Amino acid sequence: MKPGEQTNQKDENKNTVNTNTSGAFSNNDSSTWEPRVVAFCCHYCAYSAADLAGSMRLEYSPNVRIIRILCTGKIDTLHILRAFEDGADAVYVAGCEEGSCHFLEGNLRAKKKVVQAKKLLKEVGIEPERLEMFNISASNSVLFARAADEMTERARQLGPNPLNKVS
Amino acid sequence: MIIAERKAFNQIWDSTKELHKVLILGCGTCVAVCQAGGEKEVGLLASELRMKSHLEGKEIIFGEATIERQCDREFFDSIKDKAKEYDAILSMACGAGVQYSAEVLEPVRCIPALNTRFIGVTEQEGHWAERCRACGNCVLSDYGGICPMTICAKSLFNGPCGGSRNGKCEAGQEKDCAWVLIYNRLKKQNRLDTMQNLAIKVKDYSTQTHPGRLINEAYVKPEPEEKSGKQPSQASL
């Protein structure tokens, strides 16, 4: 699940045709299915909160795969869609609390991107509830653990990513 | 710049779902700036279509490419050969770009993914507004730089109607009355006296014939020499 990878490949030559379909949509065995949750976490807050959660020995869902980013402002709608294309059952973006972004308004930009991605997912036929934006400060490890659990639980309720169910 | 918006996803899906191989072709100029058909939007649409296609149990290949401009022949060179491998081109350009793609990449079918809206400006991030109707006979200097053809909902050229209320138009309270804007601008320029002339001004609509065509005088082919009368006369032979 490296959404950035494919984008970078395409960027190498703007005018060449990219037919990369990434070989995603793997099927899951329903008996052993466990949700796969991707979390895009800001280096300055949510990622630090995850670090702190570890230091504090807080227990949270092991289904979450964290991708550290410099700022949630770096998140593109395409990164989110690619995560779903590659089989994520739920995705969340965790940025700083509003008003305390290290880069002033990166988290506000991410909020807009998440809204856009939700709309696009709905158009396609994927539940927009599989995607969420959280604002977690670096000291709020409890909230980080709660967000991880909430998104995992949400994915469990909704079942596997519909793209994984289709053969 | 030309402002466009993407068509509804279902409409795009309906026009591509029976095909096997579709090239989504972005345009890197106007529609990239108005976030409708640039490289990023090509990526998003391709991702959506791939997911939809998979959910519907179809195996459609969606290629992605973006060229600098779809209204200039030379920029097609990089994708011309590749385009032949596709059933159709889903063009994310304005109407001019779609038509030119269909012409340059003939006989490959071209499908528009955008609706072209107007010639406009960026008022703020994500907000665009119409400013020009391309009438071919610009009179902005007389109207304080505000186009009555474009900004007035009724395109009134010689003065306001009676529907202006508090600077807003009767056709919609969100629309400014162009004639109030013109009055205020001319007032700031100390040119209110010129307003009276606007009432009797006659607009030349002859420039609005379609399709428009323009050739720079430097590119006009010279007339053949035999017509210039330089041939020797019969008597001198």
Side-chain angles (χ1 to χ4, degrees):
Chain A
M1 267 172 272
K2 294 174 185 170
E5 240 177 38
Q6 291 157 2
T7 318
N8 291 338
Q9 280 172 9
K10 187 157 67 66
D11 287 345
E12 279 172 18
N13 190 344
K14 195 179 173 185
N15 289 343
T16 56
V17 178
N18 175 19
T19 54
N20 190 351
T21 49
S22 76
F25 316 128
S26 58
N27 284 314
N28 288 342
D29 182 353
S30 58
S31 58
T32 58
W33 177 73
E34 274 293 322
R36 282 181 295 177
V37 180
V38 174
F40 291 103
C41 294
C42 160
H43 165 79
Y44 289 95
C45 53
Y47 191 81
S48 300
D51 216 9
L52 184 61
S55 303
M56 291 172 69
R57 303 285 191 268
L58 285 180
E59 198 174 306
Y60 64 90
S61 167
N63 303 56
V64 175
R65 273 79 159 168
I66 296 173
I67 297 175
R68 184 176 68 159
I69 45 178
L70 183 61
C71 170
T72 48
K74 176 65 188 151
I75 279 289
D76 194 276
T77 315
L78 193 55
H79 295 145
I80 298 170
L81 295 191
R82 290 279 198 192
F84 281 106
E85 264 196 80
D86 284 358
D89 298 301
V91 175
Y92 65 96
V93 179
C96 302
E97 289 177 324
E98 289 189 15
S100 56
C101 171
H102 191 80
F103 300 97
L104 304 178
E105 53 182 37
N107 51 357
L108 301 179
R109 285 167 191 251
K111 192 178 172 183
K112 288 179 191 169
K113 298 285 165 62
V114 169
V115 169
Q116 187 194 14
K118 274 176 177 265
K119 180 180 159 277
L120 299 183
L121 287 171
K122 197 176 176 185
E123 283 178 349
V124 170
I126 295 174
E127 303 90 342
E129 295 79 20
R130 292 180 185 274
L131 172 64
E132 208 52 77
M133 169 95 196
F134 292 94
N135 298 98
I136 304 169
S137 73
S139 59
N140 207 338
S141 53
V142 176
L143 184 55
F144 177 84
R146 205 182 296 156
D149 290 341
E150 183 189 328
M151 289 309 288
T152 308
E153 188 50 37
R154 223 186 261 192
R156 257 188 237 286
Q157 298 278 329
L158 292 166
N161 177 342
L163 293 166
N164 293 338
K165 285 193 281 191
V166 183
S167 57
Chain B
M1 97 184 133
I2 294 170
I3 310 295
E5 63 180 349
R6 205 187 78 178
K7 285 177 179 285
F9 179 73
N10 281 342
Q11 203 179 340
I12 297 173
W13 170 245
D14 285 343
S15 60
T16 53
K17 65 183 178 186
E18 302 303 335
L19 302 167
H20 300 290
K21 213 173 170 192
V22 179
L23 176 63
I24 305 173
L25 185 60
C27 182
T29 311
C30 310
V31 292
V33 178
C34 67
Q35 299 168 12
E39 191 177 14
K40 191 171 278 188
E41 289 73 31
V42 167
L44 289 174
L45 182 59
S47 178
E48 273 191 278
L49 286 168
R50 272 198 301 270
M51 287 193 273
K52 184 72 176 177
S53 153
H54 191 76
L55 286 172
E56 298 286 328
K58 292 179 181 284
E59 289 184 2
I60 308 172
I61 295 170
F62 291 100
E64 298 171 41
T66 303
I67 58 175
E68 196 63 32
R69 281 198 292 279
Q70 290 189 31
C71 52
D72 257 322
R73 188 177 287 270
E74 67 198 69
F75 293 111
F76 284 93
D77 289 349
S78 59
I79 55 117
K80 221 174 203 173
D81 291 334
K82 200 74 187 169
K84 291 174 189 160
E85 299 167 11
Y86 288 84
D87 298 334
I89 306 292
L90 184 58
S91 171
M92 297 192 80
C94 67
V98 177
Q99 289 188 56
Y100 214 40
S101 298
E103 186 181 325
V104 176
L105 304 175
E106 195 178 15
V108 184
R109 182 181 162 197
C110 278
I111 302 166
L114 305 185
N115 288 325
T116 310
R117 296 292 304 276
F118 49 78
I119 300 174
V121 296
T122 309
E123 287 188 329
Q124 55 174 292
E125 189 185 351
H127 293 231
W128 297 278
E130 187 174 10
R131 284 290 187 277
C132 179
R133 306 250 323 247
C135 72
N137 183 19
C138 192
V139 292
L140 282 170
S141 64
D142 298 331
Y143 291 79
I146 293 158
C147 178
M149 304 287 293
T150 314
I151 310 297
C152 174
K154 300 173 186 176
S155 292
L156 294 179
F157 192 70
N158 299 104
C161 65
S164 178
R165 296 282 180 276
N166 301 318
K168 295 293 178 186
C169 175
E170 68 175 353
Q173 278 302 300
E174 76 287 354
K175 298 175 201 278
D176 289 324
C177 170
W179 281 94
V180 171
L181 296 176
I182 291 168
Y183 174 86
N184 290 337
R185 179 71 60 77
L186 289 175
K187 194 175 177 184
K188 281 180 191 167
Q189 295 175 348
N190 291 321
R191 291 170 62 213
L192 271 183
D193 55 316
T194 63
M195 266 200 106
Q196 277 188 326
N197 299 331
L198 302 182
I200 54 167
K201 208 172 169 64
V202 179
K203 172 81 175 165
D204 177 9
Y205 288 93
S206 66
T207 49
Q208 291 195 33
T209 51
H210 297 287
R213 180 170 286 273
L214 183 68
I215 303 172
N216 185 305
E217 60 186 21
Y219 294 84
V220 177
K221 285 182 183 170
E223 289 195 7
E225 283 202 358
E226 58 266 24
K227 285 184 183 173
S228 61
K230 284 182 181 175
Q231 279 196 339
S233 66
Q234 202 69 334
S236 65
L237 286 174

